[in-house]
Amino acid sequence: MLKYANPTNFLTLAAKLLPWLGAATAALFAFGLYLGFFVAPADAVQGEIFRIMYIHVPAAWLAMLGYVAMAGSALGTLVWRHPLADVAQKAAAPLGAAFTFVCLVTGSLWGKPTWGTWWVWDPRLTSVLVLFIMYLGLIALWQTIEDPGRAARAAAILTLVGIVNIPIIKFSVDWNSLHQGESVFRAGGSTIYPTMLWPLLVMAVAFTLLFVTLLIMSMRNEILRRRVRRLSLLAADLAR
Amino acid sequence: MTRKGRRLALIGSAVGLMALAVGLILFALKDNIVFFYAPAELAEKGVQPGTRLRIGGLVKQGTVERAPGKPISFTVTDNVKDVAVTYDGLLPDLFREGQGVVVEGVLETKDTFRADSVLAKHDETYMPREVADALKKQGLWRGGTAQNGPPTTQSQGSP
């Protein structure tokens, strides 16, 4: 396993895995969307609009999972000083931001017809907006610091500071919020009827695979970008 | 302890301290960052008439009155206390008796409220219509049209 923590071995592994991951992601997305939009029955209270859940909920899970993965890489950067952890951290930030954005937009589209508003400053909505801003801040920080090693350490510290937001997001619906409570990961089992739940789980796996695929692609690009940078620095030295 | 172990312990304790600090701040600000009050909390917290705030609860069965030319009126309850609400505007589709609602506006007296926005709150259960109908037949249905159903939302009552 540790063998693949070496950037060159990682590139070899990525080249082997990516076609399979890509195909599996596409197949699961097609299957999950078909189940969610054509097979699952309409909700008794909300009718057809509830189907936006099949995009909104997996996007929200991945927005948080992406942050946890990024925080894990931040530990890898700070504790083990591993260059691949730096790369994973940098690659995860824009992906997490994109998933958070999808979550916020689909949530807003769902909120208007059901709650009657596009946006409220409810604890859940606000804490997810904070997550989005954290991601944007991290992307900005990566862009600001020229040296990749220093950028990685600064970003790692900021990432670990931001981790307190994750339990806040999770528990925000237990305070007085307009957003309904947790449906799936709760004591006493899911409150989603089984025929509506399992399309959601398929979509969750599809979103996770999409995240992993994009992360590996993005890490590969970042490793190559760093090599180009090193070579051009070397070339500039030689030219002098 | 190795250098890696030291770094891990340092980061661990820093994150732990920060979590504690944020936890304490949230605990201290609990009353200020609350999104809405339940009707019973109005008296508890001594909210004065004239205050602008949000109230959340269930729309009490049989209290919705719509008369032409007059504001809509209904009662919001948390099964402990009731607040009479008047509202002049469009209601969201999910607004119905027995369902959760969050109203924003001004407290006029200690149990009447003039709302300028009404938001419907829905609960975290999802089921097909046939299942809901079957539950209604057995008298187990908790939302929509049940008589004196228990609260469908978790966040009623005290936070």
Side-chain angles (χ1 to χ4, degrees), chain A residues 46-201:
Chain A
Q46 300 185 37
E48 302 290 344
I49 188 73
F50 103 98
R51 294 183 198 279
I52 205 165
M53 170 173 89
Y54 296 118
I55 308 288
H56 175 73
V57 174
W61 283 342
L62 263 298
M64 292 166 74
L65 199 68
Y67 200 93
V68 173
M70 206 166 62
S73 311
L75 271 187
T77 293
L78 290 177
V79 178
W80 290 277
R81 302 273 152 95
H82 203 288
L84 205 61
D86 298 10
V87 170
Q89 245 199 102
K90 185 170 182 182
L95 293 177
F99 280 87
T100 315
F101 183 71
V102 169
C103 169
L104 286 168
V105 169
T106 53
S108 188
L109 292 175
W110 194 0
K112 185 61 186 169
T114 51
W115 297 341
T117 179
W118 301 106
W119 181 264
V120 282
W121 294 100
D122 150 284
R124 171 58 71 88
L125 278 66
T126 309
S127 56
V128 174
L129 183 65
V130 169
L131 179 71
F132 185 58
I133 294 169
M134 284 297 306
Y135 274 128
L136 295 188
L138 281 161
I139 296 169
L141 186 59
W142 276 106
Q143 300 299 320
T144 311
I145 303 175
E146 172 71 20
D147 175 60
R150 279 183 52 221
R153 282 195 293 281
I157 292 169
L158 185 57
T159 302
L160 288 173
V161 169
I163 194 83
V164 284
N165 192 28
I166 296 297
I168 293 179
I169 294 176
K170 166 80 187 158
F171 295 112
S172 58
V173 288
D174 297 335
W175 308 328
N176 289 353
S177 71
L178 182 63
H179 194 285
Q180 73 280 8
E182 179 69 59
S183 289
V184 180
F185 300 111
R186 53 179 281 150
S190 162
T191 54
I192 304 177
Y193 199 74
T195 52
M196 298 155 110
L197 176 64
W198 77 276
L200 178 64
L201 299 180

